[in-house]
Amino acid sequence: MGAASTPQPVTTPRASLRDRLPAFPWDRLEPYKATAAAHADGIVDLSVGTPVDPVPAVVQQALTAAADSPGYPTVWGTAALRDALTGWAGSRLGAQGLAHTNVLPVVGSKELVAWLPTQLGLGPGDRVGYPRLAYPTYEVGARLAGAEPVVYDEPWELDPSGLKLLWLNSPSNPTGRVLGADELRRTVAWAREHGVLLFSDECYLELGWEADPVSVLHPDVCGGSLDGIVAVHSLSKRSNLAGYRSAFLVGDAAVLGELLQIRKHGGMMIGAPVQAATVVALGDTAHVAEQRERYARRRTALRAAFEGAGFRIEHSEASLYLWATRDEPCWDTVAALAERGILVAPGEFYGPAGERFVRIAFTATDERVAAAVRRLAE
């Protein structure tokens, strides 16, 4: 009998997908989170914009009513969902002439941002543009596809050669900056002139405080044509549905048709109960107004408290964040606040241009916001 062969270790591919990606930034915040959590009165976590308030009762009821859904849902969604998406985009965004081919549900907006360049077939030699201060997943999406990520201050200043995808983000995460209709209109015209596909991340559009955000789909911006443009929207913030993973695209039917076919192959589908809940959430405005009032109160309290503690707030006219600085390195600010039991996000997470800022979310409960206000006044 021959000697038993020695099992060979399993090896990963020489160039793994993970090697293309930066380190996950939030892991670096863990020591500061531990410091804040050690505070006698507990942590006030203002670092992540995750909803903490209840899912609206009408949405919960719709989810429960659709719970007996044993079959596979469709990637494109039910006709009722597509009706809800086109109806909402028409009434809320001002988009005109929408058909079902102009909408596509997606499994949360982060999934879409991360995998869009890959689904568009981008790769080496292609470039993806996004704001200099931005949600990190725009860069991640480019790198996952093997494309080159490029940042901009003004999109029309980019070299259009090889630029296949351009991201806008208004209202901005992290800064809360809102792009006006003139800026959006100029960017749409520039992208069309150079044949660049434009995706506009508008997930915070319903959370304008000192500005009224406008969609790239509004006819004053796009001229009534959806050619070459797509808007990204989410129910995570407006309806407290981050746990439901319900988002959607509205725009160019040719682009969405291609994505639909790819997503069918990948099985990228929203669960049927969530589709039913989304229909109800989009049709109800009362809960949106109620949640806005909660956030407005928290924003007012936190802004006054941080300014009273020596912070300067920049932009922040919309979204769920205050973009703040004490004119010192962001990690020094993070450390000092952690000693008071308050956790915030370092601006460096959103690009080197944020290295002297912190992002402060006002998604904590009223009780935790009040605790932060007390501590900042001490």
Side-chain angles (χ1 to χ4, degrees), residues 19-301:
D19 291 340
R20 298 180 186 173
L21 304 180
F24 188 63
W26 294 94
D27 290 343
R28 297 173 58 196
L29 201 56
E30 286 301 316
Y32 302 93
K33 185 175 184 179
T35 297
H39 191 279
D41 186 39
I43 187 173
V44 178
D45 192 345
L46 308 178
S47 66
V48 183
T50 187
V52 297
D53 300 304
V55 171
V58 293
V59 178
Q60 294 189 47
Q61 291 162 8
L63 185 80
T64 302
D68 186 14
S69 298
Y72 289 111
T74 65
V75 173
W76 200 16
T78 62
L81 176 59
R82 285 176 262 137
D83 282 342
L85 297 179
T86 55
W88 181 87
S91 62
R92 184 62 185 84
L93 307 181
Q96 297 179 340
L98 296 177
H100 283 191
T101 51
N102 296 117
V103 295
L104 179 64
V106 295
V107 191
S109 57
K110 184 169 186 175
E111 170 261 302
L112 182 279
V113 173
W115 293 106
L116 178 64
T118 298
Q119 291 174 22
L120 291 173
L122 305 191
D126 297 324
R127 300 163 72 229
V128 176
Y130 56 92
R132 188 172 301 278
L133 279 167
Y135 184 46
T137 313
Y138 302 133
E139 177 188 357
V140 166
R143 293 190 181 281
L144 283 171
E148 178 189 356
V150 292
V151 299
Y152 64 78
D153 294 308
E154 301 292 355
W156 50 81
E157 295 175 351
L158 284 169
D159 177 357
S161 60
L163 187 67
K164 298 298 179 62
L165 174 62
L166 177 65
W167 280 106
L168 294 183
N169 180 209
S170 176
S172 164
N173 174 15
T175 69
R177 179 189 174 200
V178 173
L179 299 177
D182 288 344
E183 294 173 280
L184 292 172
R185 188 162 44 244
R186 181 176 180 181
T187 304
V188 168
W190 181 89
R192 285 174 171 167
E193 177 187 355
H194 296 287
V196 178
L197 178 60
L198 174 64
F199 265 67
S200 180
D201 181 346
E202 303 174 353
C203 289
Y204 295 91
L205 184 135
E206 295 206 88
L207 294 165
W209 311 111
E210 297 162 6
D212 187 13
V214 63
S215 172
V216 74
L217 303 180
H218 193 283
D220 289 348
V221 172
C222 67
S225 168
L226 303 184
D227 290 349
I229 57 174
V230 177
V232 183
H233 284 271
S234 168
L235 280 80
S236 293
K237 307 302 192 289
R238 76 181 290 279
S239 300
N240 297 338
L241 297 188
Y244 283 45
R245 309 315 300 137
S246 179
F248 56 95
L249 309 180
V250 186
D252 189 323
V255 175
L256 298 191
E258 288 291 318
L259 291 176
L260 174 59
Q261 296 307 314
I262 292 164
R263 296 174 68 83
K264 283 181 178 179
H265 283 291
M268 295 177 174
M269 60 190 77
I270 298 177
V274 174
Q275 292 188 29
T278 298
V279 171
V280 171
L282 289 173
D284 180 71
T285 58
H287 78 271
V288 179
E290 181 181 354
Q291 190 60 44
R292 274 184 56 88
E293 290 176 4
R294 290 188 184 113
Y295 285 142
R297 291 196 305 270
R298 294 165 185 167
R299 178 181 184 272
T300 297

